[in-house]
Amino acid sequence: MCEQLAAHGLSVSWAKIRRWREFGALPWKKREGLGRGAGSSSGLLPETFAVAQALALATAKKRPLEQAVLEVFTTGARLDQVLAAATVPLPERAVRRALAWYMARDRSHPFAAIEMAARSAGGCPDKAMDAALEAAHRYFPKLYRQAKQKGRPPGMTVPDSLADADGLATIAVATVLGFEVFGADAVVEAVNQSLPELTDEYGDQVFAQLSSSLRGAEGHGANPWSRRARWPSLQDRIQRVEEVEYAQLCGIRDALALLVEASPALALARRAGVEDPAVRHVEAVRAANRRTDEYLRRAEDISRCPTERAWKDFTGLLLNVCISPRRLSTFQDDVTALDPALNDIPGLGRRVLASCIAASAGEA
């Protein structure tokens, strides 16, 4: 293996190859007995070199092996990469270990950042609450300022004001640690704070009735909060991803990679107002399906990222689909709704570019 990699200009030590193999990142033949006490042997599989070459390129700069595996698994599909992700048959064991590693360190989702802050408290409930609140009240105002600078529309986790950010921070901590730890009045007040459009006489009545109902349930010793409203713990998220078949996981990866590949042409067409049947179909689907629109929007963001960061955003999007039962069950329908618009992405790119050139020539 060292000799094969060296022949392709890649200097990799035997110790590194051994670590890749022990991690489960290299396809390898099972050991076979030689018979008559002669011991056993193992050898390379046809696909071993392709994986080793991809890992060698991904580890040219010092970085965790888990990150290198995720780079090869996700952003290897980008056009500026040497190898396409779909042609690198990474073993399942390595991919799952790398995804678990990522989930344990991910702060990209506000709930994950809050959960990580709470875990850092070392098991003390009061310290966990303080750490979670501090993280949330730091995260959401920052998210609001960033969204405002980028002109992003508000959403369920993107505040539209600093007051909304404050309310969302409380709701987020309650979602992670449990609504019951806050009590009915605090949660209802946070919701009220996040929905300024309901701060009229009717809205006050709705919130008063909700608060009274929840307090009554708490007073009778019942838990009025559904466990489904809780943010799944790290262990739960890892378990949910483990339950996704590896073939399905790769299929979702491939579909998202296709959206990333199509993003530059679609973005150019939208900015230039290009009239193309495929573009019109994509825009119609986006308008009708909020999840498909989100996937396309996040794919466009990934397409603009430098390679060293794209793997992280891609992994986050992939896990976002796999962790949510609702997203996972609808993903196939959400993306196939775009068919056949993205069946020929190079052709789409050429048509969009030709339309832009023709429009520029006409203006000249």
Side-chain angles (χ1 to χ4, degrees):
M1 176 60 67
C2 287
E3 291 171 357
Q4 288 184 40
L5 292 171
H8 287 76
L10 298 168
S11 177
V12 180
S13 68
W14 68 268
K16 179 178 280 191
I17 293 174
R18 179 181 176 181
R19 180 163 180 261
W20 294 348
R21 185 183 174 189
E22 290 175 347
F23 186 79
L26 286 180
W28 214 272
K29 279 186 178 179
K30 292 183 178 179
R31 287 195 170 274
E32 298 178 351
L34 298 176
R36 297 182 179 273
S40 63
S41 69
S42 65
L44 307 181
L45 293 169
E47 62 268 28
T48 307
F49 177 73
V51 176
Q53 186 180 24
L55 290 173
L57 292 168
T59 56
K61 295 180 180 178
K62 192 174 182 180
R63 64 194 64 186
L65 177 55
E66 293 88 349
Q67 178 179 333
V69 168
L70 291 176
E71 283 186 14
V72 173
F73 185 70
T74 59
T75 56
R78 285 161 57 86
L79 295 179
D80 58 355
Q81 295 294 98
V82 176
L83 296 166
T87 66
V88 181
L90 280 164
E92 177 179 356
R93 177 189 173 202
V95 173
R96 293 197 182 278
R97 289 182 68 176
L99 288 172
W101 170 87
Y102 176 91
M103 284 185 273
R105 290 160 179 78
D106 178 35
R107 293 174 179 264
S108 61
H109 193 287
F111 294 164
I114 292 166
E115 180 193 19
M116 189 178 295
R119 287 204 313 267
S120 69
C124 174
D126 290 340
K127 290 182 179 179
M129 174 66 78
D130 291 342
L133 285 169
E134 182 182 353
H137 284 284
R138 184 172 59 247
Y139 191 103
F140 282 96
K142 180 180 178 182
L143 196 64
Y144 163 70
R145 289 189 292 268
Q146 289 175 341
K148 190 175 181 180
Q149 289 173 355
K150 296 179 180 178
R152 291 275 178 82
M156 290 300 292
T157 57
V158 178
D160 55 12
S161 67
L162 287 175
D164 185 22
D166 191 54
L168 282 176
T170 299
I171 295 169
V173 174
T175 302
V176 173
L177 299 184
F179 286 85
E180 62 276 5
V181 302
F182 275 87
D185 290 336
V187 174
V188 171
E189 175 58 30
V191 175
N192 192 0
Q193 196 172 356
S194 288
L195 298 173
E197 65 271 18
L198 293 182
T199 54
D200 54 13
E201 185 176 346
Y202 174 74
D204 290 342
Q205 182 181 357
V206 169
F207 286 118
Q209 291 176 349
L210 176 62
S211 181
S212 175
S213 173
L214 294 174
R215 281 201 308 268
E218 288 179 337
H220 288 88
N223 183 0
W225 312 104
S226 169
R227 287 191 60 83
R228 289 178 295 178
R230 289 286 297 270
W231 166 250
S233 67
L234 174 61
Q235 290 73 22
D236 288 338
R237 297 198 301 278
I238 291 175
Q239 181 62 36
R240 288 184 184 182
V241 175
E242 286 289 334
E243 290 171 356
V244 178
E245 298 263 345
Y246 190 56
Q248 184 180 14
L249 187 69
C250 293
I252 296 170
R253 182 274 315 272
D254 294 343
L256 293 175
L258 190 70
L259 300 187
V260 173
E261 184 183 349
S263 289
L266 293 174
L268 177 59
R270 191 164 57 253
R271 289 195 302 269
V274 172
E275 287 295 326
D276 182 273
V279 174
R280 285 198 300 270
H281 178 69
V282 170
E283 292 304 319
V285 173
R286 295 184 75 155
N289 190 318
R290 187 170 58 183
R291 287 185 302 272
T292 305
D293 177 65
E294 180 190 349
Y295 298 147
L296 286 164
R297 176 171 51 80
R298 293 181 65 175
E300 185 176 334
D301 289 342
I302 293 168
S303 72
R304 294 198 192 104
C305 286
T307 304
E308 58 270 16
R309 206 186 82 198
W311 70 273
K312 184 179 292 187
D313 291 350
F314 196 118
T315 301
L317 178 55
L318 174 67
L319 290 172
N320 186 244
V321 174
C322 294
I323 288 170
S324 166
R326 171 66 173 167
R327 287 179 181 271
L328 187 62
S329 66
T330 61
F331 181 79
Q332 187 68 25
D333 291 338
D334 291 339
V335 294
T336 54
L338 296 168
D339 293 342
L342 304 183
N343 285 357
D344 181 14
I345 294 176
L348 174 63
R350 287 192 295 271
R351 293 197 307 274
V352 170
L353 189 58
S355 296
C356 291
I357 293 172
S360 299
E363 292 176 1

